[in-house]
Amino acid sequence: MKFNLNDIRAYVISPNEFEVIFDTYLKPKVMSLKENGQIITIDNINTNSNKNNTTMLFKINNKFRMNKVYKFTVDNLTVTVSFEKYYRTKIFEDDYYYSGDDLGVIFNDNEIMLKVWSPTAEQIELILYSPIDHRKLIKEMTRGKSGVWSCVINIKYRQWLYKYNVIRDHHNNEIVDPYAKAVSANGDEGVLVNVDHTRVIQKHIIRPYTKAESIIYETHVRDFTIDDESGVKFKGKYLGFIESSPRKSTSLDYLRNLGITHIELLPVSDFEGVNELNPDHYYNWGYNPVNFFVPEGSYSISPNNPSSRLLEIKTMIEAVHKRGLGVILDFVFNHVYDIASSPLEILVPGYFFRKWDNGVLANGSGCGNDIASENSMARKLILDCVRYWIEEFNIDGIRLDLMGNLDIQTVSEMDILCKRLKPEFILLGEGWNLNTKLSNESKAIIENAFQLENVSFFNDQYRDSLKGSSFTLSHKGIGLGAEVNETVLKDILIGKLTRNQTNVFVKPSQSVNYIECHDNHTIWDKMIISNYYEDEACRVRRQLLMNSILLISHGVAFIHSGQEFCRTKFHDGNSYKSGDEINKIRWKNIIKHNSYIEKLKDIISFRKRSGIYKIDDYAEIERIMKISIVDEKLFKIEYNDTDFYGEYENIIIYINFDKVDKTISISKDIKFKFISDISKPTIDNELVIEYLSLKILIKNKYSP
């Protein structure tokens, strides 16, 4: 029977054994193995065949050498023998795991040390380029323990550009250091910058909000200020993000006045898709990771200066802290932009990325590759990067893009690391179950939230119950007119996520409550489809109502930039590269919807002062909270015994999902005050709850 190259796979499985898998039943006639072109003796010690495939086990006299290339030939077809299965053995782990904290570039008094991990390289050269005339120097690196290559050079080479030349099987591959802390424009080379010289004095420590009471505001560095109405000078830049607008109603001043607790930025680590020297030509959200340890240069006012972007982003973070707000950064550790050119793949082929048993790359990320976070040195890279960004840039939280594509152990160790460095650090992510080569039991997915109780997950059930499906625009949640029932409303208000009639969360702070984020259509654009028959005023009230419910729900409140003033992306449901006209924040809409923004400010103030949103225990919330149905679409939420937690003794919230006003009778001697008063005044003993609105009544402690 004839077979082709795609039918054959060969793997080293022990120090002196390898297996060959044929996707067919066959009896090959001629077989050989070469090490760097030289034939070596092999013995076939076992063969298993069935009608679908044949697996042959071979043994060699000596041990396989990691830095050699082995090729197996059968009947004139030749395949490279992969070490991918060997990478996952305890023997490899014991021999090649490197625990040191000095990978990358380390500056000492009079010298610079560089280290890179590559047990499979035959030789690695350090290539230095002068920053003045780009003349090139080459220095050989020395292989040491665990497959770590190192080189020590004179301090005079600081500010020089550098790359590694990785040599295997007589092939040269020039790469950027995967641990580089500074790079040239567009990340073409690493740069020998001493990051200690880019420090910004950290004077401000933000109030340590508990995760349960946090209000996160997601935005994008460029989107936030690129609009002419932003009133800032450095539009779309790190420094523009923190400029004080003359109008005080845009940019960072606006966010401080809004009352949120944390700003979450879409990826600011170095990514592909934007020319840093001409950032207005292309647009990208930033989910194309290249250099994990380096800030993106397109947001810098001086991308040609490797130190400038470091200083600028640190200045930005410190300025955000000065205004009392925390900084959460979005990280993409689930894939790389291009596996073929990735330094990780070139340094250790097949180690850093998952493959299916048939040799095809896993693609749960949808981006062509999945980082094998479960492999110890891949996990180390991720954790080293997290530690660096916390210690060097003083960030307060991390959002993990496609967190479900990572393994539980990596995310758990990350959580422990983050909490050790900053006790109130916020770790959140997308716990979607993606089709990657990990067992469901090993994935950091929502269903495994009980194993990651200090990690928060985006609650898609919350989103769909309140707004409706993000993927079927005509589908409605209760905020858009679907039938309301007490169970659905209760799950929303206490931040539950139910799978098989069981809440998967251990505590409310595991639930990231959201109805809109950078992905998919904005609420406003969805309503134009789902609620096309309603006028603009009605849809505005629906958006205000859903935003208000979000802010009175237990769990982490998450607001997408512009969500509070009916942001549109002009029906673009995936605007990751759609440009400024689609993505920019249109600040004039703040003026248009100012009265509604003021009401949201009142509710945010209530959320902070009440104290009940610090409660991170489902049983306690259910003890003090009672939900009752006043009529079909009018609900009453009452909190008692709340004086222990904050300023209020009792709290009553009415939510009117109907499109008509509701009038209720109240006691003559009621001592409650109103918050977010978007309803008509009390007349006689009646309280009017306007259509599509909520009203909060509070009783202060010690009120007569």
Side-chain angles (χ1 to χ4, degrees):
M1 178 181 291
K2 290 185 178 181
F3 55 98
N4 59 49
L5 199 58
N6 293 329
D7 295 326
I8 314 170
R9 298 181 302 282
Y11 301 98
V12 175
I13 59 173
S14 80
N16 65 341
E17 294 175 325
F18 71 102
E19 66 178 11
V20 182
I21 302 170
F22 305 90
D23 287 337
T24 183
Y25 174 79
L26 81 162
K27 292 182 179 179
K29 297 177 181 178
V30 180
M31 297 176 291
S32 66
L33 180 70
K34 291 184 178 181
E35 178 190 84
N36 280 24
Q38 300 297 314
I39 292 179
I40 60 175
T41 303
I42 59 174
D43 293 318
N44 177 208
I45 59 177
N46 191 24
T47 300
N48 289 315
S49 295
N50 57 45
K51 63 180 180 180
N52 296 318
N53 59 63
T54 298
T55 300
M56 304 184 73
L57 181 64
F58 296 90
K59 190 173 184 178
I60 64 174
N61 293 330
N62 298 311
K63 290 184 178 181
F64 284 101
R65 293 184 285 181
M66 296 291 298
N67 60 347
K68 302 297 181 183
V69 176
Y70 296 86
K71 294 189 176 181
F72 179 79
T73 299
V74 53
D75 294 352
N76 297 318
L77 292 176
T78 300
V79 295
T80 299
V81 182
S82 170
F83 282 91
E84 290 166 23
K85 289 190 177 182
Y86 186 58
Y87 292 151
R88 289 149 181 80
T89 66
K90 186 177 185 302
I91 297 173
F92 178 84
E93 180 83 3
D94 292 342
D95 287 346
Y96 294 107
Y97 176 72
Y98 182 69
S99 61
D101 61 358
D102 55 355
L103 292 176
V105 177
I106 301 294
F107 279 78
N108 297 313
D109 291 340
N110 297 308
E111 61 186 22
I112 305 170
M113 176 177 285
L114 299 95
K115 287 188 176 182
V116 62
W117 183 71
S118 179
T120 61
E122 290 183 48
Q123 179 63 50
I124 297 183
E125 296 172 335
L126 171 64
I127 306 174
L128 297 167
Y129 300 93
S130 167
I132 299 173
D133 56 14
H134 218 65
R135 60 191 169 91
K136 182 166 74 172
L137 297 177
I138 297 177
K139 296 182 178 291
E140 283 198 2
M141 302 186 76
T142 303
R143 183 186 174 105
K145 182 181 177 182
S146 303
V148 173
W149 297 78
S150 63
C151 184
V152 177
I153 59 177
N154 193 283
I155 194 70
K156 69 181 181 180
Y157 292 110
R158 63 175 176 265
Q159 301 299 328
W160 278 50
L161 289 72
Y162 77 103
K163 297 180 83 171
Y164 296 131
N165 181 31
V166 182
I167 302 170
R168 290 186 79 242
D169 194 25
H170 309 294
H171 289 94
N172 296 312
N173 297 277
E174 293 188 12
I175 63 167
V176 177
D177 182 359
Y179 273 76
K181 305 301 193 303
V183 295
S184 60
N186 293 314
D188 294 332
E189 300 95 3
V191 183
L192 298 174
V193 169
N194 187 343
V195 295
D196 289 346
H197 297 163
T198 65
R199 293 274 161 83
V200 171
I201 298 175
Q202 298 170 359
K203 297 180 179 179
H204 302 94
I205 301 175
I206 66 167
R207 175 193 157 185
Y209 289 100
T210 64
K211 189 192 295 187
E213 63 180 326
S214 298
I215 305 170
I216 299 172
Y217 191 93
E218 180 194 49
T219 193
H220 179 274
V221 172
R222 184 176 177 91
D223 294 354
F224 195 64
T225 60
I226 201 66
D227 183 25
D228 288 339
E229 296 294 321
S230 69
V232 304
K233 177 182 178 182
F234 296 117
K235 293 178 175 60
K237 306 298 183 183
Y238 297 123
L239 297 184
F241 195 90
I242 58 175
E243 282 185 58
S244 290
S245 165
R247 292 183 287 278
K248 299 294 182 183
S249 60
T250 63
S251 63
L252 198 53
D253 294 316
Y254 165 76
L255 292 186
R256 177 182 59 183
N257 295 331
L258 186 62
I260 54 104
T261 63
H262 294 77
I263 296 170
E264 179 187 300
L265 296 175
L266 269 64
V268 295
S269 57
D270 185 53
F271 59 81
E272 185 58 74
V274 176
N275 183 345
E276 294 180 350
L277 298 176
N278 187 14
D280 295 332
H281 189 60
Y282 293 105
Y283 174 95
N284 204 281
W285 278 346
Y287 293 92
N288 299 329
V290 179
N291 295 298
F292 292 105
F293 292 78
V294 184
E296 167 62 16
S298 65
Y299 302 143
S300 169
I301 61 173
S302 184
N304 266 322
N305 183 340
S307 298
S308 184
R309 67 178 77 182
L310 298 171
L311 284 165
E312 290 172 44
I313 192 171
K314 291 176 182 179
T315 300
M316 178 190 73
I317 292 170
E318 176 62 14
V320 174
H321 286 164
K322 182 179 180 181
R323 289 165 170 85
L325 304 176
V327 176
I328 298 172
L329 299 185
D330 194 339
F331 280 93
V332 187
F333 293 127
N334 59 82
H335 75 279
V336 297
Y337 174 67
D338 176 38
I339 187 172
S341 62
S342 169
L344 301 178
E345 178 65 11
I346 292 169
L347 283 166
V348 193
Y351 178 83
F352 285 95
F353 301 94
R354 298 184 190 124
K355 285 185 179 179
W356 297 104
D357 291 341
N358 62 3
V360 175
L361 284 165
N363 189 26
S365 68
C367 300
N369 61 86
D370 294 341
I371 289 179
S373 60
E374 67 278 11
N375 288 349
S376 59
M377 289 301 289
R379 178 180 295 135
K380 175 179 169 57
L381 173 80
I382 293 170
L383 297 179
D384 285 350
C385 183
V386 167
R387 186 182 73 235
Y388 174 71
W389 277 90
I390 295 174
E391 293 180 339
E392 190 65 31
F393 298 93
N394 196 26
I395 62 175
D396 308 289
I398 284 175
R399 173 196 181 269
L400 292 173
D401 178 65
L402 301 185
M403 181 172 69
N405 224 40
L406 304 177
D407 68 288
I408 287 177
Q409 184 177 340
T410 295
V411 177
S412 178
E413 290 187 22
M414 187 185 303
D415 173 56
I416 293 168
L417 169 67
C418 295
K419 294 296 191 296
R420 177 169 57 81
L421 296 174
K422 277 193 171 185
E424 297 301 332
F425 196 88
I426 294 178
L427 185 59
L428 68 157
E430 297 176 299
W432 321 135
N433 192 352
L434 304 167
N435 186 28
T436 191
K437 196 178 187 300
L438 275 180
S439 68
N440 284 346
E441 294 75 22
S442 301
K443 295 176 181 176
I445 55 178
I446 289 177
E447 289 77 7
N448 293 329
F450 67 95
Q451 297 186 61
L452 296 164
E453 64 178 76
N454 292 318
V455 178
S456 300
F457 296 76
F458 282 86
N459 189 335
D460 55 340
Q461 179 179 292
Y462 184 102
R463 175 198 68 198
D464 293 351
S465 297
L466 186 52
K467 178 190 69 174
S469 171
S470 291
F471 308 103
T472 304
L473 295 182
S474 59
H475 180 263
K476 300 176 185 177
I478 63 174
L480 296 187
E483 181 181 351
V484 187
N485 68 67
E486 187 177 341
T487 301
V488 171
L489 182 59
K490 182 178 179 181
D491 283 356
I492 286 173
L493 292 174
I494 67 176
K496 278 189 174 182
L497 190 150
T498 304
R499 294 281 194 270
N500 299 320
Q501 299 182 324
T502 302
N503 182 18
V504 303
F505 293 145
V506 177
K507 52 191 178 184
S509 64
Q510 283 194 282
S511 177
V512 178
N513 301 328
Y514 79 113
I515 46 179
E516 178 179 311
C517 67
H518 65 274
D519 283 319
N520 309 119
H521 291 80
T522 66
I523 299 170
W524 187 256
D525 290 343
K526 175 181 171 67
M527 282 195 292
I528 290 175
I529 302 298
S530 64
N531 295 61
Y532 65 91
Y533 49 85
E534 294 178 338
D535 61 20
E536 180 175 310
C538 187
R539 292 198 295 265
V540 169
R541 291 186 72 89
R542 285 197 183 279
Q543 182 135 352
L544 175 61
L545 175 61
M546 289 187 287
N547 286 337
S548 300
I549 292 172
L550 173 69
L551 291 166
I552 63 163
S553 298
H554 293 270
V556 179
F558 182 95
I559 301 171
H560 178 225
S561 185
Q563 174 182 324
E564 72 279 20
F565 49 80
C566 304
R567 181 180 182 178
T568 179
K569 290 188 181 180
F570 305 97
H571 314 292
D572 190 332
N574 189 20
S575 63
Y576 74 100
K577 60 176 183 179
S578 297
D580 295 332
E581 283 306 306
I582 297 295
N583 286 289
K584 69 182 180 181
I585 300 301
R586 287 172 158 77
W587 289 102
K588 65 182 181 182
N589 287 334
I590 289 180
I591 300 172
K592 178 179 179 180
H593 296 292
N594 184 64
S595 62
Y596 293 104
I597 293 172
E598 291 300 317
K599 297 181 195 319
L600 288 177
K601 286 182 183 179
D602 289 341
I603 297 175
I604 289 173
S605 177
F606 157 77
R607 179 184 173 95
K608 290 179 174 180
R609 296 172 66 180
S610 71
I612 60 173
Y613 298 99
K614 296 178 184 178
I615 303 172
D616 206 11
D617 180 83
Y618 285 116
E620 175 63 5
I621 293 170
E622 294 192 53
R623 183 188 73 81
I624 65 174
M625 183 179 75
K626 177 184 177 183
I627 299 178
S628 56
I629 304 173
V630 180
D631 70 16
E632 183 183 2
K633 293 187 177 181
L634 180 63
F635 290 78
K636 177 183 179 182
I637 300 95
E638 187 170 7
Y639 289 91
N640 294 303
D641 300 326
T642 60
D643 54 324
F644 176 78
Y645 297 104
E647 298 184 16
Y648 312 129
E649 182 178 336
N650 298 98
I651 299 166
I652 296 174
I653 303 172
Y654 288 100
I655 306 178
N656 183 6
F657 290 97
D658 211 339
K659 292 173 69 174
V660 296
D661 294 354
K662 302 286 186 177
T663 302
I664 60 173
S665 297
I666 59 175
S667 172
K668 289 183 178 180
D669 58 354
I670 189 169
K671 301 296 183 182
F672 286 86
K673 297 179 180 180
F674 300 149
I675 290 178
S676 186
D677 189 9
I678 57 176
S679 54
K680 297 173 183 176
T682 303
I683 300 175
D684 296 327
N685 297 324
E686 294 182 337
L687 180 64
V688 177
I689 314 295
E690 283 193 344
Y691 75 99
L692 299 175
S693 72
L694 66 73
K695 179 180 279 292
I696 302 173
L697 293 79
I698 53 125
K699 182 179 181 182
N700 288 319
K701 293 179 185 179
Y702 316 118
S703 296

